[in-house]
Amino acid sequence: MLELLRQPWPWYTSGAVIAFVMVLLLFFGKSFGFSSNLRTICSACGAGKHVKFFDFNWKSQIWNLLFLVGAIIGGFISAEFLSNGEAVQVSQATVQDLQQLGISKPEGIQPAEIFSLEALFTVRGFLVLLLGGFMIGFGSRYAGGCTSGHAISGLSNLQWPSLVAVVGFFIGGLITTFILLPLIF
Amino acid sequence: MKSLKFILAGILFGIVMSKSEAISWFRIQEMFRFQSFHMYGIIGTAVVLGTLATFLIKKYKIRDYQGNPIVFTPKEKSVPRYLIGGTIFGLGWALTGACPGPMFVNLGFQYWAILVAIIGGLLGTYLYGVLRDRLPH
């Protein structure tokens, strides 16, 4: 059993569990949306004193921060107990495309060229993560949600604004993939 | 117990996101290069089952565990904010290979470099709050 759990899980288990988590949160009287935690953390750090957008009762969102803490613990459990340490089996075409950019084939879950501490302590490596994160934070709040809020919760509720947001996610993602990454790497 | 259920739901989310490799930069690249069905399968399954569940909840007026009606708030009808905001989000998503949830799962996975992306995410959120009234919505 544990051996089975240690292998990578197929996409349909993941999709089903994500839908289950969404329904579970609805049953708890909440709604599934991860990026609002970033706003909550800003408020909890006192940003509401200077900026109206953060002046709300952030304590009502503590449940979502607890969900965030759970997500960190879940990642820890996977890494420590449910991992067989094998590399991600991405398609050969992706491996080849990325090698042309100078990103070596997967040895774990993340590329050393971006996630190793050596890469982090270079200007390029630091800026890729900082600016990438910055655009995720800015964009998700501007669009009123991220992958969980729009692509999962919003689309499940047949909200066309969420479809527009998801189209935007892909426009941005394709620009980075085919224009920015070849310039950066 | 009141708080524990949210932590447990988060743990389940964190485990499944890492075990299905949705937290991997490589998988996100594979998705944006249209070279595998994997990520589309994850999102597609979640949306199909989520749509079915949402439909059933509305149809049978299912209530939450406290007996309150489950309400779905419609999104504001606007195009610029979703298109511009979404595009900016996508630029960052493909760069770091992580959206807000997986960022924190990666932290648990002990990819410490992701802390920089999380700090970036907080700074970006803060700047949005500052500029909000001046942006087209």
Side-chain angles (χ1 to χ4, degrees), chain A residues 128-151:
Chain A
V128 161
L129 288 174
L130 188 73
L131 294 178
F134 186 88
M135 289 190 284
I136 290 169
F138 189 92
S140 61
R141 224 45 294 120
Y142 195 167
C146 60
T147 335
S148 50
H150 278 310

Side-chain angles (χ1 to χ4, degrees), chain A residues 90-107:
Chain A
V90 285
S91 80
Q92 200 51 41
T94 309
V95 172
Q96 280 168 358
D97 282 359
L98 292 175
Q99 274 179 334
Q100 285 187 341
L101 287 180
I103 302 215
S104 40
K105 76 177 176 73
E107 284 179 8

Side-chain angles (χ1 to χ4, degrees), chain A residues 17-72:
Chain A
V17 172
I18 292 169
F20 176 71
V21 167
M22 184 190 88
V23 173
L24 205 56
L25 291 179
L26 287 171
F27 181 68
F28 293 158
K30 311 294 180 192
S31 67
F32 183 37
F34 208 102
S35 62
S36 43
N37 277 319
L38 296 172
R39 181 189 182 200
T40 306
I41 295 171
C42 286
S43 293
C45 293
K49 284 187 207 124
H50 312 284
V51 183
K52 209 177 86 218
F53 181 64
F54 300 106
D55 185 17
F56 73 107
N57 178 22
W58 64 268
K59 288 186 179 160
S60 69
Q61 296 298 308
I62 286 179
W63 71 269
N64 210 350
L65 292 177
L66 293 169
F67 184 80
L68 178 151
V69 170
I72 299 177

